[in-house]
PDB file of all heavy atoms in Angstrom:
ATOM      1  N   SER A 387     118.751 131.889  82.608  1.00  0.00           N
ATOM      2  CA  SER A 387     119.677 130.866  83.110  1.00  0.00           C
ATOM      3  C   SER A 387     118.847 129.536  83.215  1.00  0.00           C
ATOM      4  O   SER A 387     117.776 129.682  83.659  1.00  0.00           O
ATOM      5  CB  SER A 387     120.186 131.224  84.444  1.00  0.00           C
ATOM      6  OG  SER A 387     119.234 131.555  85.296  1.00  0.00           O
ATOM      7  N   THR A 388     119.470 128.439  82.896  1.00  0.00           N
ATOM      8  CA  THR A 388     118.737 127.200  82.934  1.00  0.00           C
ATOM      9  C   THR A 388     118.353 126.856  84.298  1.00  0.00           C
ATOM     10  O   THR A 388     117.239 126.426  84.629  1.00  0.00           O
ATOM     11  CB  THR A 388     119.486 126.091  82.396  1.00  0.00           C
ATOM     12  OG1 THR A 388     120.847 126.052  82.881  1.00  0.00           O
ATOM     13  CG2 THR A 388     119.574 126.050  81.007  1.00  0.00           C
ATOM     14  N   GLU A 389     119.214 127.067  85.300  1.00  0.00           N
ATOM     15  CA  GLU A 389     118.805 126.786  86.642  1.00  0.00           C
ATOM     16  C   GLU A 389     119.334 127.891  87.402  1.00  0.00           C
ATOM     17  O   GLU A 389     120.549 128.046  87.769  1.00  0.00           O
ATOM     18  CB  GLU A 389     119.407 125.492  87.154  1.00  0.00           C
ATOM     19  CG  GLU A 389     118.602 124.195  86.834  1.00  0.00           C
ATOM     20  CD  GLU A 389     119.090 123.069  87.201  1.00  0.00           C
ATOM     21  OE1 GLU A 389     120.337 122.725  86.608  1.00  0.00           O
ATOM     22  OE2 GLU A 389     118.540 122.331  88.007  1.00  0.00           O
ATOM     23  N   ALA A 390     118.457 128.820  87.770  1.00  0.00           N
ATOM     24  CA  ALA A 390     118.880 130.122  88.380  1.00  0.00           C
ATOM     25  C   ALA A 390     119.644 129.769  89.710  1.00  0.00           C
ATOM     26  O   ALA A 390     120.633 130.436  90.012  1.00  0.00           O
ATOM     27  CB  ALA A 390     117.598 130.761  88.876  1.00  0.00           C
ATOM     28  N   GLN A 391     119.286 128.663  90.344  1.00  0.00           N
ATOM     29  CA  GLN A 391     119.920 128.294  91.674  1.00  0.00           C
ATOM     30  C   GLN A 391     121.337 128.147  91.385  1.00  0.00           C
ATOM     31  O   GLN A 391     122.292 128.577  92.175  1.00  0.00           O
ATOM     32  CB  GLN A 391     119.305 127.085  92.179  1.00  0.00           C
ATOM     33  CG  GLN A 391     120.075 126.381  93.305  1.00  0.00           C
ATOM     34  CD  GLN A 391     119.644 124.937  93.356  1.00  0.00           C
ATOM     35  OE1 GLN A 391     119.141 124.424  92.440  1.00  0.00           O
ATOM     36  NE2 GLN A 391     119.923 124.345  94.494  1.00  0.00           N
ATOM     37  N   LEU A 392     121.737 127.350  90.368  1.00  0.00           N
ATOM     38  CA  LEU A 392     123.115 126.917  90.060  1.00  0.00           C
ATOM     39  C   LEU A 392     123.897 127.969  89.313  1.00  0.00           C
ATOM     40  O   LEU A 392     125.109 127.933  89.380  1.00  0.00           O
ATOM     41  CB  LEU A 392     123.136 125.608  89.452  1.00  0.00           C
ATOM     42  CG  LEU A 392     122.577 124.479  90.346  1.00  0.00           C
ATOM     43  CD1 LEU A 392     122.480 123.145  89.581  1.00  0.00           C
ATOM     44  CD2 LEU A 392     123.482 124.299  91.560  1.00  0.00           C
ATOM     45  N   SER A 393     123.211 128.835  88.689  1.00  0.00           N
ATOM     46  CA  SER A 393     123.880 129.813  87.893  1.00  0.00           C
ATOM     47  C   SER A 393     124.784 130.692  88.676  1.00  0.00           C
ATOM     48  O   SER A 393     125.761 131.247  88.196  1.00  0.00           O
ATOM     49  CB  SER A 393     122.954 130.572  87.038  1.00  0.00           C
ATOM     50  OG  SER A 393     122.254 131.407  87.930  1.00  0.00           O
ATOM     51  N   THR A 394     124.484 130.904  90.029  1.00  0.00           N
ATOM     52  CA  THR A 394     125.251 131.667  90.804  1.00  0.00           C
ATOM     53  C   THR A 394     126.474 130.908  91.450  1.00  0.00           C
ATOM     54  O   THR A 394     127.360 131.475  92.008  1.00  0.00           O
ATOM     55  CB  THR A 394     124.534 132.293  91.918  1.00  0.00           C
ATOM     56  OG1 THR A 394     123.780 131.218  92.497  1.00  0.00           O
ATOM     57  CG2 THR A 394     123.471 133.309  91.476  1.00  0.00           C
TER      58      THR A 394
END
Side-chain angles (χ1 to χ4, degrees):
Chain A
S387 55
T388 42
E389 275 176 299
Q391 165 203 21
L392 293 173
S393 64
T394 52

